[in-house]
């Protein structure tokens, strides 16, 4: 069905009809008024993070299904709340839709959005639908809450703190390369079947990344308060540099300690890329990088899906990667922003 | 200077350098981390409203200067907070910029943004800069606060309440028509000078609309609590229908009571349009439409720049415009969403 059949107001009503009731006590007023009204619980403060996803820049619909895009858009904003140690609670969503999108396309996109709302247990409190001349635009803002004084900033890392990383890195980037390769292959032949067998994990990491609320809950349950934390989004190297810069410290990370999945290694090998470089510079990981005082080492050792990848040094010692052979290389950001950064 | 010279991170740093310090006690952490951290004052709740502005849909840079666009983008989100009776406090801004934009263009856009931040006394707490294939995209989210129970919803209007409107309507729409006409004229000749003399007011209303925080302050100072309020954005007719729908009431408004500036009338006459229709259906007014109990009439009479334009009826009586001659017409939304609405 053409969106013009419903109109912008009608499409908005259509989307809202398919949504669950709001779930949080803190959501006082959702989609029905000029603005949404939320009430942080007593003793909590409010976090806010916005993300803009543009067709052709942040996603390519030739190989990225709309449903997964809806999910990933929510993850992208929610991950920033979690990266501050906060619990995500509400989301606003604005869509710009060009004429090639039908109501059914929006329904598919919203399936992914709703999937993510349910997974992260958050309420959609703002929804704006607009036409667009230029493809699909998605703007999301996530609100979250954090107990007073419990926010995890980038700036608290201290010398001798341990550097910890959740999950593994580089998988989403290899998933993207696989999608791009199969897209190129697809462009060439008529009866083409994409070769995704044995690559399900890296595809899933690219297409349906899940922000690590589970790790935050584990940290809280164990009583571990990181001295600094950052959401790994642009790439481990880039985000490590951000954390070190904000904290005024240096760092050493061990090449062999960087967690990289075997599918990531396999795909990197196939493409003639160094798995370490892929792990350091791949984007869209949505993992957490955090630092803890040395005294909490045993507690972190007992955590699932967390690896100690290095330690914090004084700023003068720089931010360096220690190779398996023992040599050290200064870490330079080469993630998402590689092209721009080369000029810096 | 090409934006690629600075890169996305560098451009972000460049923008931040030119910003004032944050001003609100409630802004605990602004642009330096994964998410911003804000703390509503005790006894207050949080409002949030997002707006997406797309080139070619919401603005045309051929005739709309970037500086004013920056200002208007902020107003568009802030107006929704004020429309709920809230005090705007923080803003997040995301920009998508295609290659035709230079660093200097961003500086000009930010001049308008900063102008608006200062006028509304709000902090920029989120900033994201991205490249774009498709012109300029601006996503803004405003946060505001309101004392518990003092939010002004659309849904509280009661039978016999008075309908009140701030300022005047239709001026921004006539300003837009003037800009479009002069753009068309400009397209035709080489040594063309736009004819804006005597049209300064309608141009200003289109290009630099100011959300009515002043009226909200007056209402609060006078102790008037409207039963319902809405930000007039899509057009008086459309927003009146929204308010009536949300409140489950009808309304009568008097044609001769609708406040329309003489420049609006002049421009409407020149274009062969009915000033009443322009006032009813023009968008981008950013005025406030609200209802008050009859008993507060004298207090509202004493307010500056507020007009009583009608009254609330039972839902069965419909939403109708009473002409100067006494005849009644059912009001149909014909604002921004006219084309889509015709199909409904």
């Amino acid at each position: 069905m053409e969106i013009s059949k419903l109109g912008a107001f009608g499409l908005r009503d259509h989307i809202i009809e398919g949504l669950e009731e709001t779930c949080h006590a803190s959501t006082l007023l959702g989609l029905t008024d000029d603005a949404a009204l939320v009430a942080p619980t007593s003793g909590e403060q409010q976090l806010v993070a916005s993300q803009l996803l543009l067709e052709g820049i942040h996603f390519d619909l030739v190989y990225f299904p709309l449903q997964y895009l809806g999910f990933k858009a929510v993850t992208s904003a929610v991950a920033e709340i979690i990266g501050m140690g906060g619990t995500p609670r509400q989301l606003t969503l604005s869509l710009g839709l060009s004429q090639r999108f039908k109501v059914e396309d929006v329904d598919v996109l919203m399936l992914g959005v709703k999937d993510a709302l349910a997974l992260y247990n958050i309420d959609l409190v703002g929804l704006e639908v607009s036409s667009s001349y230029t493809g699909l635009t998605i703007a999301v803002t996530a609100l979250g809450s954090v107990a007073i004084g419990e926010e995890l900033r980038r700036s608290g890392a201290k010398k001798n703190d341990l550097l910890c990383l959740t999950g593994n890195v580089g998988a989403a980037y290899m998933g993207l390369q696989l999608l791009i390769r199969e897209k190129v292959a697809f462009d060439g032949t008529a009866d083409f079947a994409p070769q995704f067998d044995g690559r399900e994990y890296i595809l899933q990491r690219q297409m349906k990344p899940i922000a690590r609320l589970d790790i935050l809950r584990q940290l809280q349950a164990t009583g571990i308060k990181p001295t600094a934390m950052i959401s790994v989004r642009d790439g481990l190297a880039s985000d490590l540099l951000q954390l070190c810069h904000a904290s005024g410290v240096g760092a050493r990370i061990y090449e062999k300690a960087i967690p990289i999945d075997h599918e990531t290694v396999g795909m990197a090998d196939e493409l003639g890329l160094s798995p370490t470089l892929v792990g350091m510079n791949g984007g869209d990981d949505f993992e957490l990088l955090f630092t803890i005082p040395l005294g909490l080492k045993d507690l972190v050792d007992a955590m699932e899906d967390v690896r100690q990848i290095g330690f914090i040094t004084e700023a003068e010692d720089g931010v360096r990667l220690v190779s398996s052979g023992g040599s050290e290389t200064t870490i330079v950001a080469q993630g998402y922003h590689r092209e721009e950064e080369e000029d810096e």
Side-chain angles (χ1 to χ4, degrees), chain A:
Chain A
M1 192 198 298
E2 302 289 330
I3 288 173
S4 58
K5 274 293 246 197
L6 292 178
F9 284 171
L11 178 59
R12 188 176 182 281
D13 290 344
H14 170 78
I15 294 172
I16 290 172
E17 267 171 38
L19 287 169
E20 301 290 320
E21 292 288 301
T22 58
C23 52
H24 285 295
S26 66
T27 305
L28 302 177
L29 193 63
L31 299 164
T32 56
D33 221 299
D34 291 355
L37 183 67
V38 304
T41 312
S42 162
E44 289 187 340
Q45 291 173 337
Q46 194 89 46
L47 294 162
V48 57
S50 298
Q51 293 288 324
L52 182 61
L53 288 84
L54 301 171
E55 186 168 356
I57 300 291
H58 301 100
F59 57 88
D60 183 338
L61 290 175
V62 171
Y63 55 78
F64 209 99
L66 275 169
Q67 181 171 348
Y68 292 104
L69 182 62
F71 188 94
K72 193 169 179 174
V74 178
T75 287
S76 75
V78 159
E80 305 294 296
I81 300 296
I82 294 170
M84 295 286 296
T87 302
R89 290 268 165 81
Q90 288 95 8
L91 189 92
T92 70
L93 172 68
S94 301
L95 299 175
L97 299 154
S98 69
Q99 284 203 334
R100 76 174 203 272
F101 294 97
K102 311 293 177 211
V103 173
E104 291 75 13
D105 296 322
V106 179
D107 288 342
V108 171
L109 178 78
M110 287 306 300
L111 276 180
V113 170
K114 284 183 236 174
D115 192 6
L117 294 174
L119 178 77
Y120 298 118
N121 189 29
I122 51 182
D123 292 331
L124 188 69
V125 298
L127 176 64
E128 194 196 0
V129 182
S130 159
S131 45
S132 153
Y133 278 130
T134 52
L136 178 59
T137 299
I138 305 176
V140 282
T141 296
L143 297 180
S145 57
V146 63
I148 293 173
E150 294 300 311
E151 78 273 9
L152 303 174
R153 305 186 182 206
R154 300 176 176 182
S155 54
K158 300 273 182 303
K159 185 184 170 185
N160 297 329
D161 281 355
L162 290 175
L163 252 176
C164 305
L165 180 66
T166 64
N168 60 72
V169 285
Y173 181 59
M174 285 299 92
L176 177 64
Q177 294 306 314
L178 177 62
L179 284 170
I180 290 171
R181 189 180 71 176
E182 297 303 304
K183 170 197 173 186
V184 170
F186 178 74
D187 286 348
T189 65
D191 57 347
F192 174 76
Q195 298 297 314
F196 293 152
D197 279 3
R199 304 278 196 232
E200 291 81 3
Y201 178 72
I202 59 173
L203 271 184
Q204 177 242 310
R205 286 299 302 270
Q206 170 59 223
M207 294 170 68
K208 199 178 175 181
I210 294 174
R212 303 306 304 259
L213 192 53
D214 60 330
I215 297 288
L216 194 62
R217 294 276 172 271
Q218 269 195 68
L219 287 169
Q220 288 162 346
T222 325
I224 301 171
K225 186 177 176 186
T227 47
M229 185 183 271
I230 189 169
S231 169
V232 179
R233 156 62 118 333
D234 293 324
L236 175 58
S238 174
D239 290 315
L240 172 62
L241 287 170
Q242 296 272 353
L243 185 145
C244 288
H245 178 74
S247 294
V249 297
R252 289 292 173 281
I253 63 176
Y254 298 104
E255 183 174 9
K256 63 181 173 191
I258 299 170
I260 299 176
D261 186 80
H262 71 93
E263 279 191 25
T264 306
V265 174
M267 189 71 200
D269 285 347
E270 216 173 296
L271 296 172
L273 298 170
S274 145
T276 300
L277 278 177
V278 164
M280 291 294 289
N281 299 315
D284 276 356
D285 294 311
F286 297 106
E287 299 290 352
L288 294 170
L289 178 69
F290 60 92
T291 56
I292 55 155
L294 201 53
L296 297 179
K297 182 175 181 354
D298 291 348
L299 286 177
V300 172
D301 277 340
M303 284 182 73
E304 271 183 49
D305 215 20
V306 175
R307 286 279 287 274
Q308 293 160 37
I309 62 167
F311 60 94
I312 297 297
T313 65
E314 287 184 27
E316 305 85 82
D317 297 328
V319 182
R320 291 167 161 268
L321 177 70
V322 183
S323 76
S324 309
S327 64
E328 294 195 357
T329 328
T330 295
I331 293 172
V332 179
Q334 290 193 313
Y336 261 12
H337 303 278
R338 176 163 32 189
E339 283 163 64
E340 295 97 337
E341 297 255 323
E342 277 170 0
D343 291 320
E344 286 189 339

